[in-house]
Amino acid sequence: MGKRDIHDEEHVVRCCSRQKQVVDENGTVLGVTWEAFALRDVDKGYLSVALFETVSGDADTRLIHIRGQWDQSGFRYNPRKAVMAVCNTGIIREYGLKRACKIRVLHEPSRQNDAYSAIRRLPQDNGDIDLLESLASEAAVSIHPIASLP
Amino acid sequence: MTKATFDLGKVGAPSLVMSQPNRLSLLLSPSARETNASLISQKVACTPSNLRGQQVDNDQNPDERKIFENRSELKILISQVAMHISANQRHDFFKQIDDLLDQDEWMEEDSLINKSSFFSFLRFITYSINVKRPSLTVASSGNVGASWFHNRRRLSIEFMNDDTVRMVLSQAPDDKNEGEVFVYQGKTPRLNEVLQPFDARDWYLDGQA
């Protein structure tokens, strides 16, 4: 299964734990912090995401498919509290270029997960917080609690 | 020694004293100490609700035990400054800690909260006036963060040791303005001065024009 650059008009989905969410007093998720896009040691130098447009249909259909791929591949997430941040690929690249960072967003499907994708060439030391904040605030165009999916 | 006095009505007026650099100590009257001790024991007894009445098994997953201990120590820290925050704030912080450190919902990317970071956060809350309700988050480093998001304005403050903070402020672009992002790392007392050019104090403080 081949890799390809994801088009600017397409989107990728990042799973964000409760610890990276900003939540109001009613439990409504207002957004995610820049930390949701920070590289950790376990990330091996890139961010794991999922291609939103792997299947056609409405948002719920697409997110349910991604959730199923996560289950199939053994990716562990919190079904009650984690959220799926849908991010526009074009905006990711645009902010990367503004920060002199040629980010690549690639669809890298596998047998276990046909939606698997990666955001590569981010600054490895998380030193560019401006960039990470821009990704969290502008590239993340919608937030979907996994618990709200059928 | 720096000393600040708060007028707290019935409990009396404790003195908030920094006896050593960056250590927050409370000099309380005997009645206030008794109330404080009672409050601490009540709050610790409430945590964790799913382990109430059960003995902690020594063979229990150490991660679960560490999460439980982390929750407890943070709540004890809150209880130690209970006189200087409202009951609503105390209740809200307890609730958010339970939410962030939930062993049943733990994800691989989650972190325990660094106690000295949380202490810095509490100092910020007690020394600031009329802080709006923050949403607490946890960085991968274990530092606690406080965020205020409203409309397309975002302010996040990460509390590190020794009253050092990393603040990220962003405002989304609109028809009139390009968006902006500002990052500051420095001492907590400088925050207001740093935020002034952005007219951003009202993002996290109530009652600001």
Side-chain angles (χ1 to χ4, degrees), chain A residues 21-23 33, chain B residues 133-137 145-149 155-157:
Chain A
Q21 297 168 26
V22 174
V23 178
T33 64
Chain B
R133 176 199 175 271
S135 172
L136 300 183
T137 58
S147 291
W148 297 264
F149 287 4
L155 175 63
S156 295
I157 303 175

Side-chain angles (χ1 to χ4, degrees), chain B residues 63-78:
Chain B
D63 288 336
E64 291 180 16
R65 188 164 59 241
K66 284 180 185 172
I67 294 170
F68 164 59
E69 286 171 356
N70 193 214
R71 276 207 306 273
S72 299
E73 62 190 7
L74 298 180
K75 291 186 177 184
I76 288 172
L77 282 178
I78 294 172

Side-chain angles (χ1 to χ4, degrees), chain A residues 17-18 32 78 80-81 133, chain B residues 99 105 110 135 154 170:
Chain A
S17 87
R18 170 64 186 89
V32 294
N78 180 333
R80 282 200 323 129
K81 293 186 181 175
E133 171 66 13
Chain B
D99 208 20
E105 308 292 345
D110 289 342
S135 172
R154 296 162 48 111
S170 69

Side-chain angles (χ1 to χ4, degrees), chain B residues 18 24 26 37 48 56 70 95 97 118 135 138 144 164 172 192 204:
Chain B
M18 287 194 283
L24 184 67
L26 295 175
V56 175
N70 193 214
K95 187 177 167 198
I97 285 170
F118 195 76
S135 172
V138 187
V144 71
T164 300
N192 280 343
Y204 73 103

